[in-house]
Amino acid sequence: MKKVIGYVSVKREHRNHPYHKFVMESFQMVCDLNGWELVKVYEDVCSSPKEPRIAQIQMHNDLARRNDIDILLSYAFGKLLVTDISRSIKRKKVAK
């Protein structure tokens, strides 16, 4: 079974919006449809585009430590993007 992590960035004022709840649930739906295991969803809640993306940095650092994640699901531009993470790519820790 492939292991998956998810990532989404949302404006603070939209965090409780029903559409954001749907987006969060869609990570699990995609995994269920494909027989994948959703390990974790990283969520950055920001007020400004200039705020640091702490969850994104944590996700990259976790990927650098773990070699068991196969797929990254990310939500951008109104779509869920599926990225197959190749094990042959050398993963590096992202500075804070």
Side-chain angles (χ1 to χ4, degrees), residues 60-93:
H60 285 288
N61 288 338
D62 288 351
L63 284 172
R65 284 190 292 274
R66 297 179 67 152
N67 285 329
D68 63 335
I69 302 299
D70 302 298
I71 295 172
L72 167 64
L73 283 178
S74 51
Y75 181 80
F77 308 111
K79 297 183 183 206
L80 269 177
L81 307 171
V82 179
T83 306
D84 190 1
I85 301 172
S86 171
R87 294 180 193 274
S88 63
I89 295 173
K90 186 174 181 182
R91 297 178 182 168
K92 295 181 181 180
K93 189 171 183 177

Side-chain angles (χ1 to χ4, degrees), residues 49-65:
K50 294 181 180 182
E51 280 186 52
R53 303 289 192 249
I54 303 300
Q56 186 179 44
I57 293 168
Q58 182 63 51
M59 176 190 70
H60 285 288
N61 288 338
D62 288 351
L63 284 172
R65 284 190 292 274

